[in-house]
Amino acid sequence: MTDRDQDEIEASRAPLMDHLIELRQRLFVCVIAFALAFILCFFFAADIQIFLIKPYQAAAAVHAAAIAKGAHGGNPFELLAVTMGIHPIPTGGQSAVQLIATAPLEQLFTKMKIAGFGAIVLAFPVLAWQLYRFVAPGLYRNEKGAFLPFLIAAPVLFCLGAALVYFVMLPFVMWFSLEQQIAVDGITVA
């Protein structure tokens, strides 16, 4: 530890009460950021829900079109192309999706869950920055430099992972689940 590092740590020392006040202020900023993001996501919850249902719609249409053609359940790579927008949704199959809400307030709770998860995603940069600003005074200069790239890389990698799940993994899961249906001799289990 150099004298410069020691002086930097000494300059950032504060009584416990000062740390608690700073923590309260940073948590308040995080709660405000989350609340604003929640309100924004709740306003667009129906659009977000439709966006999240699109892979199922594509899977159901590709599966129904394949069944109509006499194929067992279609090709999962065709479904991948439809989900990514490379191919249009087949018109020969089922393109309408009917989901069922079994409780009076289920759709409201679904919108609230969508808004909550969306708010975490939208507010993450603010949350991460507040966390960094709270712990930064206790870090050495080289530790601060090592911490900042993670703050930048985390949202980027999260978005890449979400895109991978939405465009690649979800179509395969939908295809697999639709393949588990039984429809023979007048018996249908879906």
Side-chain angles (χ1 to χ4, degrees), residues 36-189:
L36 291 174
F38 182 89
I39 291 168
L40 180 68
C41 288
F42 190 79
F43 183 73
F44 292 105
D47 297 326
I48 296 169
Q49 186 175 11
I50 290 168
F51 175 77
L52 294 173
I53 293 172
K54 288 291 184 184
Y56 176 74
Q57 180 187 23
V62 168
H63 186 265
I67 296 293
K69 290 178 186 174
H72 188 289
N75 182 350
F77 295 105
E78 178 186 349
L79 176 58
L80 184 66
V82 170
T83 304
M84 293 178 117
I86 298 170
H87 294 282
I89 293 178
T91 55
Q94 169 189 352
S95 61
V97 174
Q98 293 181 345
L99 302 178
I100 300 171
T102 59
L105 295 175
E106 187 170 356
Q107 187 58 27
L108 173 67
F109 293 143
T110 300
K111 287 182 177 182
M112 290 178 72
K113 289 176 188 177
I114 289 171
F117 285 118
I120 291 170
V121 170
L122 281 181
F124 178 77
V126 174
L127 303 176
W129 181 250
Q130 292 300 316
L131 173 68
Y132 172 74
R133 295 299 297 161
F134 182 72
V135 299
L139 299 175
Y140 295 117
R141 184 178 308 272
N142 61 343
E143 292 172 335
K144 288 179 188 177
F147 197 74
L148 279 174
F150 291 108
L151 284 177
I152 295 168
V156 171
L157 292 175
F158 175 81
C159 289
L160 288 174
L164 175 74
V165 168
Y166 184 82
F167 289 110
V168 177
M169 296 308 298
L170 196 55
F172 285 111
V173 170
M174 290 291 113
W175 175 80
F176 177 77
S177 66
L178 288 171
E179 280 295 304
Q180 302 311 307
Q181 295 180 0
I182 299 171
V184 290
D185 299 328
I187 300 172
T188 302
V189 181

